[in-house]
């Protein structure tokens, strides 16, 4: 059962720890130390994600590799690997890295928060005594720390213009999900519902599939960045003023 005492306590404690760590990380000034925080969060997320194989083997003598360890079946699986890639790319000034970082920072944050408040794995096994459930909770928490640090650490600025690279990332996610579903079908395997493209994870809400989630993410991202720019950015740096300036310059030319 979701939002029982255990789930609620985990939400409160994990968010408090996340906020505390991000506050402490503000005092890190050297870029190489910032990069180390990003690398540690990414590596910790991956190690937690795959740890169930070793825990299963050491406790039972056998281990089965889940499909979402072998393949990025879910959105958060993909974001986990993108966080590691972003952390270990040395050139963090290139346009390609910035686009990848924007998609990872927003996607990882949204994915981690969705999983924190609606962990379907906890719904099926409502206990943190099960390592598979606990490591899933913890890995989403470490991913949330890393992705939020991309904002607070100065890697990604919150701007309305970020919607464009995020949409590009979602298009790549669609291609990846369709490819994985086709791959499983080609080998006669059970449908993996990669990126929730085949059906919603919540049967009662059928439109909350990969397509619906992607559309909601774009709406939420646009609304959030518009409000952020209005509250936190100088008037001349806001998206609509930049758009107006662009139209004026085109007319003049």
């Amino acid at each position: 059962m979701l939002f029982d005492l255990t789930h609620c306590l985990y939400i409160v404690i994990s968010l408090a720890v996340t906020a505390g760590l991000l506050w402490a990380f503000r005092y890190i000034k050297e870029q190489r130390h910032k990069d180390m925080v990003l690398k540690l969060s990414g590596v910790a997320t991956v190690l937690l994600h795959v740890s169930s194989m070793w825990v299963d083997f050491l406790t039972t003598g056998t281990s089965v590799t889940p499909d979402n360890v072998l393949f990025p079946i879910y959105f958060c699986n993909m974001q986990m690997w993108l966080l590691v890639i972003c952390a270990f790319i040395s050139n963090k000034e290139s346009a390609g890295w910035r686009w990848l970082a924007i998609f990872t920072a927003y996607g990882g944050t949204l994915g981690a928060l969705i999983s924190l408040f609606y962990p379907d794995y906890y719904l099926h096994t409502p206990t943190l005594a099960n390592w598979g459930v606990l490591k899933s909770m913890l890995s989403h928490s470490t991913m949330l720390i890393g992705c939020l640090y991309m904002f607070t650490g100065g890697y990604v600025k919150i701007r309305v213009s970020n919607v464009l690279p995020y949409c590009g990332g979602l298009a790549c996610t669609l291609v990846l999900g369709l490819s994985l579903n086709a791959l499983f079908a080609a080998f006669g395997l059970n449908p993996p519902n990669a990126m929730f493209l085949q059906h919603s994870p919540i049967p009662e809400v059928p439109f909350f599939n990969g397509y619906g989630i992607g559309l909601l993410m774009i709406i939420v991202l646009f609304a959030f960045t518009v409000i952020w720019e209005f509250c936190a950015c100088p008037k001349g740096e806001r998206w609509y003023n930049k758009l107006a300036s662009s139209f004026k310059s085109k007319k003049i030319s």
Side-chain angles (χ1 to χ4, degrees):
M1 180 179 179
L2 295 181
F3 300 107
D4 58 8
L5 179 61
T6 301
H7 184 202
C8 289
L9 282 175
Y10 185 85
I11 291 174
V12 172
I13 293 172
S14 66
L15 289 179
V17 170
T18 297
L21 288 174
L22 292 174
W23 179 83
F25 293 159
R26 295 184 310 156
Y27 297 99
I28 299 175
K29 303 302 180 182
E30 289 191 35
Q31 189 59 46
R32 64 189 182 95
H33 293 153
K34 289 184 176 183
D35 292 346
M36 185 58 66
V37 170
L38 206 59
K39 291 175 182 177
L40 288 174
S41 64
V43 170
T45 302
V46 171
L47 290 178
L48 283 167
H49 179 63
V50 303
S51 66
S52 58
M53 295 186 298
W54 283 273
V55 172
D56 287 347
F57 181 80
L58 292 173
T59 55
T60 66
T62 60
S63 178
V64 176
T65 306
D67 57 359
N68 65 345
V69 170
L70 292 173
F71 303 95
I73 300 292
Y74 302 114
F75 187 73
C76 288
N77 297 153
M78 179 185 65
Q79 293 296 340
M80 169 190 72
W81 289 109
L82 290 180
L83 176 59
V84 173
I85 292 171
C86 285
F88 281 89
I89 290 178
S90 56
N91 182 9
K92 293 181 171 55
E93 300 299 327
S94 67
W97 186 88
R98 287 196 295 271
W99 274 56
L100 186 63
I102 288 169
F103 179 59
T104 304
Y106 285 104
T109 298
L110 289 171
L113 288 174
I114 290 172
S115 183
L116 179 64
F117 286 94
Y118 191 87
D120 56 342
Y121 43 85
Y122 183 83
L123 183 62
H124 300 306
T125 310
T127 175
L128 296 184
N130 179 284
W131 178 249
V133 174
L134 180 58
K135 68 89 181 175
S136 294
M137 290 282 205
L138 292 173
S139 64
H140 283 91
S141 294
T142 55
M143 185 172 73
L144 179 62
I145 292 170
C147 291
L148 285 175
Y149 187 63
M150 295 183 78
F151 295 111
T152 61
Y155 293 94
V156 174
K157 291 184 178 180
I158 300 175
R159 294 291 186 270
V160 174
S161 58
N162 294 343
V163 174
L164 180 60
Y166 191 78
C167 288
L170 286 181
C172 294
T173 302
L174 175 62
V175 172
L176 176 60
L178 292 173
S179 299
L180 288 172
N181 287 333
L183 178 65
F184 276 56
F187 283 87
L189 300 172
N190 291 328
N193 192 26
M195 306 303 170
F196 300 123
L197 294 177
Q198 294 171 309
H199 58 81
S200 168
I202 309 175
E204 297 80 10
V205 190
F207 67 85
F208 199 66
N209 53 21
Y211 302 98
I213 293 173
L215 179 60
L216 287 173
M217 282 182 167
I218 293 171
I219 294 172
V220 169
L221 177 57
F222 179 73
F224 171 73
T225 51
V226 166
I227 295 171
W228 180 274
E229 284 197 6
F230 183 80
C231 296
C233 293
K235 190 174 181 180
E237 296 182 15
R238 296 173 189 169
W239 69 279
Y240 51 85
N241 283 319
K242 287 187 176 181
L243 193 63
S245 299
S246 177
F247 279 127
K248 286 181 181 179
S249 62
K250 286 182 179 180
K251 287 181 178 180
I252 293 174
S253 60

